[in-house]
Amino acid sequence: MAEISDSLRLLFESDVEEREDEYVVSVPDALVENGSLSTEDTYRVALLAATADEPPDAAAAETDPEPESSDPRQARSGRRAQSPPVEEGEVRSVTIDTLGDQGDGIAKVERGFIVIVSDTQPGDQVDVKVTDVKDTVAFAEPVSEATVR
């Protein structure tokens, strides 16, 4: 299995589409609208196969019993997005990796999911309470004193 860099900012699933004389990997609108990505920045893109043994749709069907979404972006790709790995009200320990554009701490949890934590600095290890969960990012508040690693 390939190692994923600690500099990973975001992880999402998308299809490669053919358009005239090029191939395009679509970025969901929500990733730009909620501030996870900016149209002003340049990003490095890595492509990872969903699995080596089975098509992505088969894996999703086995683990995701929820009904089909009416979201046209999901219907177009034939896949359902995974639900966020955190829930509102959940308390967990995180390590702040970097600062966001607004000065809030950014931590990554499972699958590279981003948790934005106010009043923290890079290197802080802190218990946080998740206050708001979106499809691609969650917001949290510290519930303990931060310790620097």
Side-chain angles (χ1 to χ4, degrees), residues 9 32-38 41 96 98-106 114 116-122 137 139 141:
R9 289 183 50 133
V32 176
E33 291 168 2
N34 71 20
S36 294
L37 298 175
S38 167
D41 294 330
I96 304 302
T98 188
L99 289 181
D101 294 340
Q102 305 298 317
D104 293 323
I106 296 177
I114 300 292
I116 298 174
V117 184
S118 61
D119 302 320
T120 56
Q121 296 293 316
V137 66
F139 299 88
E141 297 290 329

Side-chain angles (χ1 to χ4, degrees), residues 58-104:
E62 289 176 14
T63 60
D64 190 356
E66 294 181 21
E68 289 292 326
S69 169
S70 60
D71 184 336
R73 291 179 303 240
Q74 292 175 353
R76 183 173 51 231
S77 72
R79 295 189 187 129
R80 289 182 297 252
Q82 289 183 321
S83 61
V86 298
E87 295 180 1
E88 192 171 315
E90 178 180 353
V91 175
R92 60 163 62 204
S93 294
V94 299
T95 300
I96 304 302
D97 297 317
T98 188
L99 289 181
D101 294 340
Q102 305 298 317
D104 293 323

Side-chain angles (χ1 to χ4, degrees), residues 6-145:
D6 287 338
S7 66
L8 177 71
R9 289 183 50 133
L10 184 63
L11 182 62
F12 67 94
E13 189 172 298
S14 182
D15 292 320
V16 176
E17 300 170 10
E18 185 174 3
R19 293 192 189 157
E20 297 180 20
D21 62 344
E22 64 185 4
Y23 293 91
V24 176
V25 175
S26 297
V27 175
D29 294 338
L31 297 179
V32 176
E33 291 168 2
N34 71 20
S36 294
L37 298 175
S38 167
T39 58
E40 305 297 317
D41 294 330
T42 300
Y43 299 94
R44 183 174 294 168
V45 176
L47 301 176
L48 306 170
T51 65
D53 300 333
E54 60 185 334
D57 291 335
E62 289 176 14
T63 60
D64 190 356
E66 294 181 21
E68 289 292 326
S69 169
S70 60
D71 184 336
R73 291 179 303 240
Q74 292 175 353
R76 183 173 51 231
S77 72
R79 295 189 187 129
R80 289 182 297 252
Q82 289 183 321
S83 61
V86 298
E87 295 180 1
E88 192 171 315
E90 178 180 353
V91 175
R92 60 163 62 204
S93 294
V94 299
T95 300
I96 304 302
D97 297 317
T98 188
L99 289 181
D101 294 340
Q102 305 298 317
D104 293 323
I106 296 177
K108 286 182 239 146
V109 295
E110 297 89 61
R111 302 187 319 260
F113 190 82
I114 300 292
V115 178
I116 298 174
V117 184
S118 61
D119 302 320
T120 56
Q121 296 293 316
D124 287 355
Q125 292 181 328
V126 62
D127 292 337
V128 300
K129 182 175 184 179
V130 178
T131 57
D132 189 20
V133 179
K134 306 293 184 195
D135 288 340
T136 58
V137 66
F139 299 88
E141 297 290 329
V143 294
S144 71
E145 287 292 316

